[in-house]
Amino acid sequence: MQQDVIMVLKFPSNSPVTHVAANTQPASNVGSHRRQISDLLDQSIQISSQCFVITADNRFILLCGFWDKSFRVYSTDTGKLTQIVFGHRDVVTCLARSESYIGGDCYVLTGSRDATLLLWYWNGKHSSIGESPGTEFTTPRAILTGHDCEVTCVSVCAELGLVISGCKEGPCLIHSMNGDLLRTLEATENCLRPRLIQSSTEGHCMIYYDKGQFCLFSVNGKLLRHMQVEDSIKVRIFPFLL
């Protein structure tokens, strides 16, 4: 009903919405003004939900796709840039974070056109990437290799100690969080170009491919289920039940 609508927001550029997240934590200036990130992304980047990560306390947003091969941290309360992180040799194309520990610590995973994955540590106490806040250069916990082209989607599960990733061409890969390549996920022939990955702590992984193809795998690499939908999925897959 129209009377139930609290707020309507429209982008001046008439651009399509690619990511939505809610900040439900109390903050002193929420609602007092609109906040926006004005930094421009690389023109070749197709913006999707894989370009954004929200921290567990909803206070910071991590964004990738910048021309200088960085990913960046912004305050959701002010919209201000709080950290720039370098590590990849080409544009960072996707991001994901693990479940959070007490205090808000978690792992952040980045994928890039350089065909590598970097695993970072988010320090909840200091609200920054890295265990030593204030240092100019931050180093990743692990460097993961095995893809031959641009990484398009990633997922990380700290409880299982696993990283799952997909690229433009070739199978999805499962690594340990130490960087060891464990196995590949072989889908059916018509499952090409993975777009979204969601893993669960129960040991399952759902992957969405081009043309509405879904595959459900066990983390041991077994294909459990395959289905096709007609709609184009552009948002993150939420936790699923078998």
Side-chain angles (χ1 to χ4, degrees), residues 117 143-147 161-165 173-183:
L117 307 160
I143 301 174
L144 292 69
T145 60
H147 290 296
L162 296 177
V163 166
I164 306 172
S165 57
L173 304 179
I174 298 182
H175 289 82
S176 73
M177 292 178 65
N178 294 324
D180 300 319
L181 177 58
L182 301 179
R183 59 189 61 90

Side-chain angles (χ1 to χ4, degrees), residues 18-101:
T18 59
H19 184 77
V20 175
N23 186 342
T24 57
Q25 299 295 320
S28 58
N29 62 349
V30 169
S32 63
H33 63 278
R34 295 185 182 182
R35 298 168 296 282
Q36 65 179 19
I37 296 172
S38 58
D39 295 343
L40 298 178
L41 301 185
D42 188 279
Q43 293 183 349
S44 64
I45 286 291
Q46 183 176 356
I47 300 176
S48 71
S49 61
Q50 292 282 303
C51 295
F52 304 87
V53 162
I54 308 295
T55 57
D57 58 8
N58 295 315
R59 294 177 54 227
F60 295 91
I61 181 171
L62 283 67
L63 178 60
C64 69
F66 296 99
W67 63 271
D68 62 359
K69 308 166 191 175
S70 71
F71 69 96
R72 305 183 184 186
V73 183
Y74 297 86
S75 166
T76 56
D77 284 340
T78 64
K80 291 183 178 179
L81 175 66
T82 63
Q83 188 178 15
I84 302 178
V85 183
F86 295 96
H88 286 284
R89 293 170 295 168
D90 207 332
V91 174
V92 182
T93 50
C94 51
L95 289 166
R97 73 166 174 85
S98 71
E99 64 277 23
S100 294
Y101 301 104

Side-chain angles (χ1 to χ4, degrees), residues 44-229:
S44 64
I45 286 291
Q46 183 176 356
I47 300 176
S48 71
S49 61
Q50 292 282 303
C51 295
F52 304 87
V53 162
I54 308 295
T55 57
D57 58 8
N58 295 315
R59 294 177 54 227
F60 295 91
I61 181 171
L62 283 67
L63 178 60
C64 69
F66 296 99
W67 63 271
D68 62 359
K69 308 166 191 175
S70 71
F71 69 96
R72 305 183 184 186
V73 183
Y74 297 86
S75 166
T76 56
D77 284 340
T78 64
K80 291 183 178 179
L81 175 66
T82 63
Q83 188 178 15
I84 302 178
V85 183
F86 295 96
H88 286 284
R89 293 170 295 168
D90 207 332
V91 174
V92 182
T93 50
C94 51
L95 289 166
R97 73 166 174 85
S98 71
E99 64 277 23
S100 294
Y101 301 104
I102 296 175
D105 291 8
C106 66
Y107 290 94
V108 172
L109 182 66
T110 57
S112 169
R113 282 188 184 148
D114 65 13
T116 68
L117 307 160
L118 298 182
L119 187 66
W120 310 83
Y121 193 78
W122 172 261
N123 188 316
K125 180 179 179 181
H126 299 284
S127 300
S128 64
I129 294 288
E131 298 178 70
S132 302
T135 56
E136 184 176 357
F137 298 103
T138 303
T139 56
R141 280 287 189 92
I143 301 174
L144 292 69
T145 60
H147 290 296
D148 296 324
C149 57
E150 176 182 328
V151 180
T152 57
C153 49
V154 291
S155 179
V156 54
C157 179
E159 185 170 329
L160 298 179
L162 296 177
V163 166
I164 306 172
S165 57
C167 66
K168 274 191 171 181
E169 304 290 340
C172 293
L173 304 179
I174 298 182
H175 289 82
S176 73
M177 292 178 65
N178 294 324
D180 300 319
L181 177 58
L182 301 179
R183 59 189 61 90
T184 61
L185 298 176
E186 299 289 349
T188 57
E189 291 182 359
N190 51 351
C191 291
L192 303 172
R193 298 182 180 87
R195 296 301 183 191
L196 296 167
I197 296 178
Q198 183 74 43
S199 57
S200 74
T201 55
E202 288 76 29
H204 298 98
C205 173
M206 182 78 82
I207 302 176
Y208 172 69
Y209 298 84
D210 268 358
K211 300 180 179 179
Q213 304 288 337
F214 280 95
C215 284
L216 177 65
F217 294 92
S218 73
V219 291
N220 293 322
K222 181 180 180 181
L223 177 61
L224 302 175
R225 199 173 297 175
H226 169 256
M227 64 177 290
Q228 183 176 7
V229 296

